[in-house]
Structures are given as C-alpha cells and as structure tokens.
Amino acid sequence: MHKLNYMNEDKFFGYNTGTVIITITVTPRDIGNIVNANYESKKLLGYRHKELKGKNVRILMPKILSDNHDSFLQNYFETAKAKILEQQRIVLGKDKDGYIVPSFILVKAIPNLKRNLTFVGFIRKLDE
C-alpha cells in the first residue's frame, strides 16, 4: 500500500489529472448511493456521470469486493473507526463493460448535516 502525503495529493488526484471523483452518501437508510460523479467517469469507467447518480457504488466493483462493501460503510457509520480513509490504495474497479480496472483510490469522509456522512473517492487508473 502506498501512503500519500498531502503535498503530492493535489498533484496526483487534483483537477485535470484524469481523476474520477465520486461522492457517495451514508445514512441509516441509504448506504453507498452515488450523489455525484465528475465527467472523468466516462473516460475511466465508461459511465456518464448521470448514469452513476443514484446507483450504489458497488456497481464499480467486482462481485468479490462489492458483496461486503455496504457492511464496511455501515460499520464506519456506526463506529467512526476508519480502516482505509485518507490512504492511497491500489484497488480493482469494474467498468461499465464489466472489465477489471486496476486503480489508485483515495477516500475521504466528510460529515454532512443533510446526508449524515459523505465519502469522496478519488480514482485514477493504475497505469497513468
């Protein structure tokens, strides 16, 4: 696992870097629903940003990972104990056609009075 320092974070995941930015919400009733995605989602994942809105973030993961993802979010929602936040990681994503996309990901949690908790994920293709 690569740890990313904050000085390099903007250069690696910032605007105009080919980074997909996805915002999801976690509430007691909605776990992992995508609230917004930027236009880079089409380039990297094959989804237009409007196609992702309202879907569960699990659609961007292979089944072996997506089966447990909601429980990870629920656990954080209940305990506030983070295991992957604020760390750059290498993950396997899934594009619209079902192909595996090795990627870097960085996830941040943002408290939100309207939605309880918002996660922002920054995703870049591994070979970029």
Side-chain angles (χ1 to χ4, degrees):
M1 173 184 347
H2 300 274
K3 197 134 187 172
L4 190 68
N5 71 37
Y6 285 102
M7 291 181 56
N8 292 329
E9 188 175 297
D10 285 340
K11 189 165 82 171
F12 194 77
F13 289 109
Y15 291 105
N16 300 319
T17 61
T19 300
V20 176
I21 302 172
I22 294 178
T23 307
I24 68 168
T25 185
V26 179
T27 68
R29 290 185 14 197
D30 288 326
I31 296 177
N33 286 344
I34 297 172
V35 176
N36 202 2
N38 68 350
Y39 291 99
E40 293 293 328
S41 61
K42 175 70 174 164
K43 182 179 172 187
L44 179 64
L45 303 168
Y47 288 97
R48 292 189 324 260
H49 70 284
K50 291 179 181 179
E51 292 177 279
L52 292 172
K53 192 172 181 177
K55 305 282 191 226
N56 191 289
V57 72
R58 291 186 316 255
I59 67 168
L60 303 176
M61 302 172 199
K63 184 166 175 37
I64 194 164
L65 301 174
S66 68
D67 283 349
N68 295 313
H69 193 262
D70 281 356
S71 64
F72 298 148
L73 293 174
Q74 184 67 36
N75 184 58
Y76 181 79
F77 184 73
E78 292 171 357
T79 67
K81 292 183 181 175
K83 295 181 182 174
I84 68 148
L85 296 178
E86 304 288 340
Q87 299 176 43
Q88 177 185 336
R89 300 173 58 91
I90 296 173
V91 297
L92 298 176
K94 184 179 76 168
D95 70 12
K96 186 175 181 178
D97 295 325
Y99 291 102
I100 300 299
V101 180
S103 306
F104 290 108
I105 190 169
L106 175 68
V107 179
K108 295 179 174 269
I110 302 168
N112 183 316
L113 294 175
K114 184 177 177 185
R115 295 189 184 106
N116 291 334
L117 185 61
T118 298
F119 288 99
V120 180
F122 302 86
I123 306 165
R124 281 194 55 182
K125 194 170 184 181
L126 190 59
D127 61 2
E128 291 184 345

